[in-house]
């Protein structure tokens, strides 16, 4: 499976709208870990790594930010600014999050528990592994 935007259901209600995601109907993996990124100072970049085995799904719950991905050959930018759109990122895709708006909130769910050994933090090493 490739990196892609997944449109989440929207249940519209005059009292406030609701969106959700679940496995296996919307996500291609069972969730093992959930974390969020917030209070990012202007101009800062988060991420800048790839995972050997981990998959992720990223949603902008509030505000906006860009996710720049690289597959080892090509780069693509996704702007996330709707809480009903999420970005699926499979394993072996470099990602960095940037251009955070004020009060933005990024929710990330993963199919793996935290394991430092799964991270690739050097871009040149990543490109080499991705192109083998």
């Amino acid at each position: 499976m490739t990196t892609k935007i997944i449109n989440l259901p929207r249940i519209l209600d005059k009292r406030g709208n609701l969106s959700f995601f679940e496995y296996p109907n919307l996500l291609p993996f069972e969730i093992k870990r959930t974390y969020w990124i917030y209070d990012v100072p202007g101009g800062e970049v988060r991420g800048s790594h790839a995972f050997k085995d981990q998959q992720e799904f990223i949603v902008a719950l509030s505000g906006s930010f860009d996710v720049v991905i690289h597959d080892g050959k090509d780069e693509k930018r996704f702007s996330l600014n709707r809480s009903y759109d999420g970005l699926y990122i499979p394993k072996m895709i470099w990602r960095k999050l940037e251009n955070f708006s004020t009060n933005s909130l990024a929710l990330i769910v993963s199919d793996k528990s935290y394991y430092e050994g799964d991270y690739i933090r050097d871009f040149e090493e990543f490109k080499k592994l991705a192109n083998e």
Side-chain angles (χ1 to χ4, degrees):
M1 184 171 260
T2 183
T3 303
K4 68 176 184 175
I5 293 287
I6 296 175
N7 301 112
L8 302 173
R10 290 189 289 168
I11 299 170
L12 305 177
D13 188 304
K14 63 183 178 182
R15 300 168 298 164
N17 302 329
L18 182 146
S19 289
F20 64 92
F21 51 84
E22 61 190 14
Y23 168 84
N25 298 329
L26 295 166
L27 293 185
F29 60 82
E30 290 188 63
I31 297 168
K32 299 285 188 195
R33 180 168 66 125
T34 302
Y35 62 99
W36 47 98
I37 299 171
Y38 57 97
D39 293 341
V40 178
E44 288 298 323
V45 174
R46 298 299 312 249
S48 294
H49 59 262
F51 294 108
K52 297 172 190 167
D53 293 310
Q54 183 171 282
Q55 304 172 75
E56 288 187 327
F57 183 68
I58 304 172
V59 179
L61 290 182
S62 180
S64 64
F65 52 88
D66 294 338
V67 181
V68 181
I69 60 136
H70 202 291
D71 65 4
K73 293 181 182 172
D74 298 312
E75 183 175 280
K76 188 171 182 182
R77 176 180 301 270
F78 293 88
S79 292
L80 297 181
N81 58 16
R82 304 271 189 230
S83 59
Y84 51 81
D85 287 335
L87 182 63
Y88 167 70
I89 304 177
K91 66 181 182 177
M92 288 304 294
I93 297 290
W94 188 268
R95 85 282 319 277
K96 66 180 177 176
L97 285 70
E98 60 185 25
N99 296 325
F100 287 87
S101 69
T102 301
N103 296 324
S104 59
L105 174 59
L107 175 70
I108 300 101
V109 296
S110 167
D111 70 334
K112 304 271 190 265
S113 296
Y114 176 81
Y115 171 59
E116 180 61 32
D118 191 39
Y119 283 74
I120 305 168
R121 297 188 185 275
D122 179 88
F123 186 64
E124 294 306 315
E125 177 189 350
F126 162 74
K127 285 197 305 187
K128 187 177 175 184
L129 290 170
N131 290 306
E132 287 182 345

